[in-house]
Amino acid sequence: MAEGLEVALTDLQSSWNNVRHHTEEISSNRLLVRRGQAFNITLYFRNRAFQPGLDNIIFVTETGPLPDLPKGTRAVFSLAGHRGPSPWIASLQTIGASSLEVSLCAPPVAAVGRYLLKVHIRSLQGPVTAYQLGEFILLFNPWCPEDAVYLESEPQRQEYVMNDYGFIYQGNKNWIRPCPWNYGQFEENIIDICLELLDKSLNFQIDPATDCALRGSPVYISRVVCAMINSNDDSGVLNGNWGENYSDGTNPAEWMGSVAILKQWHATGCQPVRYGQCWVFAAVTCTVMRCLGIPTRVITNFNSGHDTDGNLIIDEYYDNTGRILENKKKDSVWNFHVWNECWMARNDLPPGFGGWQVLDATPQETSNGLYCCGPASVRAIKEGEVDLNYDTAFAFSMVNADCMAWLVFGGKEQKLHQDTNTVGNFISTKSIQSDERDDITENYKYEEGSLQERQVFLKALQKLKAGRFPGSLRAESQPRSVPLSDSPRSLATPSLQPSDVVQVSLKFQLLDSPNMGQDIRFVLLALNMSPQLKDLRVNLSAQSLLHDGSPLLPFWQDTAFITLSPEEAKTYPCKITYSQYSQYLSTDKLIRISALGEEKNSPEKILVNKIITLAYPSIVINVLGAAIVNQPLSIQVVFSNPLSEQVEDCVLTVEGSGLFRRQQRVLIGVLKPHHRASLTLETIPFKSGQRQIQANLRSNKFKDIKGYRNVYINFGL
C-alpha cells in the first residue's frame, strides 16, 4: 500500500516569478505576485513521487486576520484537472522523481495583501497531511486585461507603475517649474509599510474581516489610502501645516522623496510625520498606489479653486489700496494645488466614466465623514456630472469655479468684477518616459469661453442647486442660491469687466526674471482706450502669500497719478528692493502685486494683480565616471548661496532610489554671501536602469534650493 505523500521542502521560485510579475525591483527572495497571472512553485517530497490518480492535493490561500470563504479572503482549490467552485486555479506543470511543479493563479478580482499558502494532501487510504508552504504578497495587475486597473499601453505602465522618480510642477501659471521627487515605491520595506498603512485605517480597526474582503476593489483601496495619507481622522502618514512655523518638524518644501517620510512614520510607531502640504500628500499617495500596482500620476492645477460652500464662486476681498484681505468665508484660490490621478474601471458608475480618477489626499473637506477626496472620474468632471461618486462636485470646483472680486470700503462691499477664466489653468503632469511637462487641461474642461464649457458649468450649477448628494462638498454647508441670470456663464454675453466701462486697461509687466536676493523691477502699463482724457489715481501694494492663497501683511505701497490723453499708453516704473521684501517672504516665495485704479469723477474701479514666484539657482549634480551596478561611483554636488548676506545652519540632503540605500545628509554650516561650493559623495549603485539623484540645500534663510540629475546605471558584466 502506498504511504502518504510528505512535503520536505517548498521552492516559491521568488526570483523567477517576481521577474514575470514585474516585482523584482521590490525583492528577489520574497514572493510578490500580481492577480490574474499565474506563478509557479515547486514541492519537494521526502518519501516518493507524486502519483496523479493516488494523491489529491488541495491548496488553501488565506489573507487577513479572519479568513473567510464566503468573503473571498480564504480560497480552497484542488490540483485536479476540473475547475472547482473556487476562482483560484492550480494546474500541474511537471512531475519529477521527488518533486512537483505547480502553477497557481489568483483571480483578477482577488483582495490584495499578504497571503498564507497552505497545502492539504490526501493519499488513497492514508491520512490527510497539512503543510504551511509560505507567505506571498498579492498586488493589483495593470498587465492583466481582466483586472480593474488594466492599462493597455506598456510605456504608460512603465511610467505610472514602474517609474520610481518624477517631477511635481510648482510655481505659478506664468512660471511653472519642475520639482524632482523620489517616489521610491520599490525601496526596501516600502511594500510592508504600504500594507501596514492599510491595516492602520479606521475601516480595518472597526471591521477587519470586511475591510480585507473589499481590498480587491481599487475604488475602495484608493479611498482608504487617500484618508490614511493625511492624519486628520486617524494615525495617518502626514500632518498638514499651511502656516509659517515648522520648528517642531520638517518644512514641507524641504522634502524630496516619499521614502524618508514613510520610513519615519513606520519607525515612530505610525506617528504622523510633520509636515506636509498638497504636493507632499500627493507624492506619498503616488508611492503607495504604484507600490500596490495601481497606475498613478501626480497632477498640478494652477490657480486651483477651494470653494467651501458649493456655489462655484470664490469671493476675494480687497481694500482701497489694492491689497487682498483675509477671506471671511475661507474660499480661496491656491497658487497651485497638487492631487493624483489613478487609473481604474468604475463599475459603480454609468458606462464611460472609467479611466483616470482624481484622488486628493490633502485634507480640505470631509467625504462621508472622513478627510479624503475621490476617486472622482476626470470625464465626469469635464462633463459636469457632479452628482457621480466620489466628491466630483468638489473636484469640479477646483478647476471651474469663478472668481468674484469685492472692494471693502467704509463698511460696504462693492463688486469689482467677476472672472470666469482664472481658476483651473495649465493642469500639468510629467510626460511618459520623458522629463517634459504634459498639459492635460483639456481632459478636465472644454475650452474657456466656448459654448460647451458654459453649458457644462450651468449643468453642474443646476445639479448643485437641486440638492446635496453623497460625497459632494461638506454635507453641513448648504450652497447659496445663485440665480442663473446672474451666472457669469449664462449663455448670454459674459459680464463686462470694469475696464470695459472705464475704457482704461492696467497691466503689470516684469522687466527681468525675479530671482531671490535681487531687486524686483516691473512696470505698470496704463492704456486709455477712449477718445476722452483720463485722470487716474492708482494705489499699488505688494504682500506675501502663503501657498494656499492666504495673504500676509503688505510690505510695499505706492501711489501713482497718471494722466492719459485719448488712446495714449504710459508706463509707470516700480521697484521692490531685496531689503524691502526679504524679512516678509514666506517659504512659498510668493509675492502678489496689486493695483487699484480709479478715474477722477467716476465710481468705477479697476483691479489688476500679478503673482511673482522668486527663483533660486539650481544645485548642479555631476556624475564622475561610468555608473555600473555594484561599482563605486563618485557624485559631485555644486551649490551656492544666492543671497548678498551670510547664511547659517546649511544642510545638504541627497537621495536617489537604486543609488543610495538611505538619504545622505551633510552639515555644511555657514555659507558666505554669493559663495559657491562643491562636495563629492561616494556611493555604490545597487539597481540598474534609468535613475535620478535629487538634492536639497536648506539654511536659516531659505529651505528649498533643489537640483537633480538623471543617470543610467549599467548592469556591468
Side-chain angles (χ1 to χ4, degrees):
M1 189 182 81
E3 57 188 325
L5 195 59
E6 294 177 31
V7 176
L9 189 67
T10 310
D11 179 6
L12 296 179
Q13 300 190 30
S14 301
S15 181
W16 189 87
N17 284 316
N18 290 3
V19 169
R20 279 147 191 79
H21 285 252
H22 312 277
T23 60
E24 76 275 15
E25 287 250 335
I26 303 176
S27 175
S28 59
N29 49 28
R30 299 164 66 188
L31 183 60
L32 298 115
V33 294
R34 299 187 186 275
R35 58 191 200 170
Q37 182 178 341
F39 61 97
N40 288 8
I41 66 167
T42 307
L43 304 180
Y44 290 93
F45 304 113
R46 180 171 283 116
N47 51 343
R48 62 178 177 82
F50 169 74
Q51 296 176 22
L54 183 68
D55 302 312
N56 186 17
I57 293 184
I58 293 163
F59 290 97
V60 179
T61 56
E62 297 176 341
T63 187
L66 300 162
D68 182 46
L69 271 172
K71 279 191 155 75
T73 49
R74 184 171 195 263
V76 179
F77 51 106
S78 169
L79 187 57
H82 60 86
R83 287 290 297 272
S86 171
W88 287 69
I89 302 166
S91 54
L92 194 61
Q93 295 296 99
T94 52
I95 302 173
S98 60
S99 66
L100 175 68
E101 189 174 24
V102 179
S103 169
L104 307 178
C105 188
V109 295
V112 300
R114 206 181 298 278
Y115 277 79
L116 205 54
L117 178 62
K118 302 175 182 176
V119 68
H120 295 173
I121 302 176
R122 178 185 279 116
S123 300
L124 217 60
Q125 297 152 354
V128 175
T129 51
Y131 299 89
Q132 198 163 299
L133 301 181
E135 279 192 359
F136 65 94
I137 290 172
L138 188 68
L139 300 172
F140 289 101
N141 192 353
W143 284 265
C144 171
E146 286 77 41
D147 196 306
V149 303
Y150 173 64
L151 193 54
E152 195 175 355
S153 152
E154 180 60 20
Q156 287 192 340
R157 292 189 292 243
Q158 289 301 317
E159 184 65 56
Y160 301 134
V161 181
M162 301 302 292
N163 199 355
D164 61 7
Y165 67 86
F167 299 101
I168 300 168
Y169 294 95
Q170 298 181 353
N172 67 61
K173 67 173 186 178
N174 301 312
W175 187 76
I176 297 174
R177 71 180 183 100
C179 171
W181 196 271
N182 176 23
Y183 296 119
Q185 68 268 32
F186 304 130
E187 289 296 282
E188 193 177 13
N189 299 333
I190 293 298
I191 180 65
D192 303 294
I193 296 171
C194 293
L195 296 178
E196 180 180 27
L197 185 142
L198 298 182
D199 288 350
K200 289 288 176 195
S201 75
L202 288 180
N203 298 31
F204 182 86
Q205 302 297 324
I206 293 163
D207 184 355
T210 303
D211 173 72
C212 288
L214 290 170
R215 289 184 186 178
S217 160
V219 173
Y220 178 79
I221 287 277
S222 61
R223 279 184 75 73
V224 169
V225 169
C226 188
M228 277 302 297
I229 296 300
N230 68 66
S231 59
N232 285 42
D233 313 290
D234 41 46
S235 55
V237 176
L238 280 158
N239 259 344
N241 185 342
W242 286 266
E244 292 181 274
N245 182 10
Y246 308 106
S247 56
D248 58 347
T250 300
N251 186 316
E254 290 180 39
W255 298 114
M256 298 181 294
S258 309
V259 176
I261 295 168
L262 288 165
K263 287 191 171 180
Q264 184 180 323
W265 177 74
H266 167 74
T268 56
C270 306
Q271 291 299 305
V273 175
R274 299 176 178 154
Y275 287 102
Q277 288 184 8
C278 64
W279 67 93
V280 189
F281 290 111
V284 176
T285 302
C286 183
T287 296
V288 174
M289 298 296 271
R290 285 186 184 180
C291 187
L292 295 173
I294 300 175
T296 303
R297 58 190 188 180
V298 175
I299 309 296
T300 303
N301 178 36
F302 290 93
N303 291 359
S304 190
H306 185 172
D307 171 30
T308 56
D309 56 5
N311 66 347
L312 296 183
I313 289 179
I314 290 166
D315 297 296
E316 294 187 318
Y317 298 91
Y318 295 82
D319 70 7
N320 63 345
T321 68
R323 76 170 171 130
I324 191 168
L325 303 171
E326 188 71 60
N327 190 317
K328 303 188 289 270
K329 261 190 337 91
K330 293 298 177 194
D331 278 7
S332 57
V333 176
W334 293 33
N335 203 45
F336 65 87
H337 181 50
V338 184
W339 59 71
N340 299 96
E341 284 179 4
C342 305
W343 181 271
M344 63 189 72
R346 288 299 300 271
N347 299 324
D348 57 321
L349 299 182
F353 293 103
W356 289 117
Q357 311 289 316
V358 167
L359 198 63
D360 188 352
T362 300
Q364 298 182 80
E365 304 292 329
T366 56
S367 169
N368 293 345
L370 288 178
Y371 276 94
C372 74
C373 176
S377 162
V378 173
R379 174 142 184 267
I381 295 166
K382 182 169 184 173
E383 301 299 337
E385 303 293 350
V386 294
D387 48 349
L388 295 182
N389 281 344
Y390 290 87
D391 311 299
T392 310
F394 190 75
F396 182 89
S397 73
M398 291 196 290
V399 297
N400 284 295
D402 289 347
C403 281
M404 184 95 79
W406 299 87
L407 176 66
V408 181
F409 187 60
K412 295 193 179 129
E413 293 177 4
Q414 176 190 343
K415 180 176 168 182
L416 286 170
H417 66 82
Q418 188 150 352
D419 187 345
T420 64
N421 304 329
T422 297
V423 168
N425 288 286
F426 300 103
I427 303 174
S428 302
T429 193
K430 178 186 176 298
S431 290
I432 297 166
Q433 297 179 326
S434 142
D435 287 355
E436 297 304 306
R437 181 181 71 88
D438 232 356
D439 191 304
I440 56 166
T441 309
E442 67 175 6
N443 294 1
Y444 281 84
K445 56 209 285 192
Y446 290 100
E447 192 177 345
E448 286 287 359
S450 68
L451 185 62
Q452 272 178 309
E453 185 248 1
R454 291 191 191 170
Q455 286 170 333
V456 165
F457 187 88
L458 283 177
K459 181 207 286 187
L461 199 55
Q462 282 169 328
K463 283 176 182 276
L464 282 166
K465 285 175 65 184
R468 314 310 288 145
F469 24 78
S472 61
L473 308 183
R474 284 192 306 208
E476 68 269 18
S477 62
Q478 289 298 317
R480 290 188 315 199
S481 172
V482 181
L484 289 182
S485 59
D486 289 356
S487 166
R489 314 225 186 145
S490 59
L491 298 179
T493 321
S495 58
L496 290 171
Q497 298 269 354
S499 57
D500 301 327
V501 179
V502 184
Q503 294 183 299
V504 170
S505 152
L506 295 178
K507 186 182 177 187
F508 283 119
Q509 188 175 344
L510 285 166
L511 295 176
D512 33 40
S513 294
N515 289 316
M516 180 62 82
Q518 296 174 9
D519 298 345
I520 302 167
R521 300 188 316 122
F522 58 98
V523 294
L524 179 70
L525 302 169
L527 171 64
N528 181 4
M529 297 175 284
S530 79
Q532 282 91 34
L533 186 83
K534 298 281 182 183
D535 263 335
L536 296 181
R537 174 195 167 107
V538 184
N539 292 325
L540 298 117
S541 71
Q543 62 196 125
S544 279
L545 290 182
L546 298 181
H547 159 66
D548 65 359
S550 306
L552 305 180
L553 289 172
F555 54 79
W556 175 86
Q557 288 180 323
D558 192 9
T559 305
F561 295 93
I562 303 171
T563 302
L564 294 168
S565 304
E567 301 186 354
E568 184 185 13
K570 278 187 180 172
T571 62
Y572 181 81
C574 305
K575 182 167 83 168
I576 304 173
T577 63
Y578 173 63
S579 60
Q580 283 176 304
Y581 71 74
S582 61
Q583 70 257 45
Y584 295 100
L585 210 54
S586 75
T587 50
D588 299 302
K589 306 181 294 296
L590 297 173
I591 294 175
R592 182 191 202 119
I593 48 176
S594 300
L596 187 70
E598 53 189 323
E599 189 198 351
K600 199 187 284 182
N601 311 322
S602 166
E604 292 292 343
K605 296 185 170 54
I606 313 157
L607 175 73
V608 61
N609 53 53
K610 185 179 187 71
I611 291 177
I612 297 168
T613 306
L614 290 155
Y616 288 129
S618 294
I619 293 173
V620 176
I621 301 171
N622 297 314
V623 176
L624 309 177
I628 299 167
V629 172
N630 298 328
Q631 299 286 320
L633 179 66
S634 297
I635 293 161
Q636 182 193 47
V637 184
V638 184
F639 52 93
S640 59
N641 172 12
L643 306 182
S644 49
E645 57 183 316
Q646 180 172 292
V647 294
E648 298 166 4
D649 308 324
C650 296
V651 179
L652 179 72
T653 312
V654 181
E655 63 181 82
S657 286
L659 283 145
F660 298 98
R661 291 198 182 269
R662 62 187 59 83
Q663 204 179 52
Q664 308 293 303
R665 293 167 74 84
V666 185
L667 303 179
I668 307 293
V670 173
L671 279 176
K672 291 188 164 50
H674 300 295
H675 181 68
R676 186 175 165 91
S678 79
L679 59 85
T680 302
L681 298 172
E682 300 288 330
T683 188
I684 298 177
F686 53 96
K687 288 183 179 178
S688 62
Q690 190 67 40
R691 304 287 161 190
Q692 189 182 76
I693 305 163
Q694 300 91 6
N696 184 74
L697 178 68
R698 74 152 203 246
S699 74
N700 63 333
K701 298 281 183 187
F702 50 75
K703 300 298 172 196
D704 61 333
I705 294 185
K706 297 199 185 291
Y708 72 92
R709 179 66 182 259
N710 292 348
V711 52
Y712 190 85
I713 311 292
N714 287 295
F715 199 75
L717 300 174

